[in-house]
Amino acid sequence: MEASSWDALRKQARKLEAQLDERMTSYRRLVSSNPDGSVADLESSIEHLLKQLQQINLQMQTWVSSGGSQIISHTLTRHKEILQDLSQEFYRLRSSLRAKQERSSLLLEFRDYDREKADIEGGADSAEHALLKEQAAISRNSGQVPFCQPPSLSASIFRRMDNVISQAQATLGALVLQRSTFGGITTKISNVSSRLPTVNHILSSIKRKKSMDTIILSFVASVCTFLMLIYWLSK
């Protein structure tokens, strides 16, 4: 009866070891091929088989402690070594797979960040170029305005002043729209800067551009007011 019990335990141990060897072969293949999908099911199956084999080894140890022969004791030692080797290899492979998955995740995040940063910088450059064009237009228009004219201005001068005022108002509207654009860009950069500190430099540059935008808006409003005042006084 005792021999039969030992043989049954050995049979279970060999069966579990064979199943573990089969699953470990599949797991090694998956780890070496950098799988994109989840391997949680296979890992869970291997862990379950390792726990079962450990329980069988404990039962065999109890049987040997109750008076087993030296040959049986050597057999148990061999089964323990197999369990230890399989456990160590499994945990080593799992750690290696986790490290590969973390590296892949970080690389993907950095690629997304680079694309987002390029989009933001492209939008900022376009807005800055448009702002410089508007500044040049304002400078040209301001140079054409006759700030000191006598009360007897001709009708052609009035029409010219009307055109200048219209251009200034259109420029003011464009600057207001650009200010809204800068606000959207700043919001996007603030979101990115929460992920990587290096974007703070870009954020500071955009803030300086917003300050310049405010100065230009104030200047355009002052010019419009002054031109309208001259227009009314000249009538």
Side-chain angles (χ1 to χ4, degrees), residues 82-116:
I82 293 174
L83 174 60
Q84 183 178 3
D85 292 342
L86 289 172
S87 298
Q88 289 178 350
E89 183 180 11
F90 170 67
Y91 292 122
R92 178 181 59 80
L93 290 173
R94 188 173 67 176
S95 297
S96 177
L97 178 60
R98 294 293 184 273
K100 290 180 180 179
Q101 290 173 339
E102 289 177 0
R103 285 196 297 269
S104 299
S105 178
L106 287 174
L107 288 174
L108 181 60
E109 289 181 2
F110 275 110
R111 290 193 190 101
D112 293 340
Y113 166 74
D114 289 338
R115 286 195 295 268
E116 187 174 357

Side-chain angles (χ1 to χ4, degrees), residues 148-198:
C148 298
Q149 292 288 346
S152 58
L153 292 173
S154 64
S156 61
I157 298 298
F158 287 151
R159 287 194 297 270
R160 187 175 181 183
M161 290 181 64
D162 288 338
N163 292 334
V164 172
I165 291 174
S166 299
Q167 292 177 4
Q169 289 176 341
T171 302
L172 179 61
L175 288 175
V176 171
L177 179 60
Q178 289 173 9
R179 184 177 185 180
S180 176
T181 302
F182 277 120
I185 293 173
T186 303
T187 301
K188 292 177 67 177
I189 293 180
S190 297
N191 294 333
V192 177
S193 65
S194 62
R195 297 170 57 187
L196 288 177
T198 55

Side-chain angles (χ1 to χ4, degrees), residues 113-164:
Y113 166 74
D114 289 338
R115 286 195 295 268
E116 187 174 357
K117 180 181 177 183
D119 293 340
I120 292 173
E121 289 180 345
D125 290 341
S126 299
E128 182 179 1
H129 181 68
L131 181 59
L132 291 174
K133 289 178 63 178
E134 295 298 338
Q135 285 178 322
I138 291 172
S139 298
R140 290 193 300 270
N141 293 334
S142 300
Q144 294 173 357
V145 175
F147 290 101
C148 298
Q149 292 288 346
S152 58
L153 292 173
S154 64
S156 61
I157 298 298
F158 287 151
R159 287 194 297 270
R160 187 175 181 183
M161 290 181 64
D162 288 338
N163 292 334
V164 172

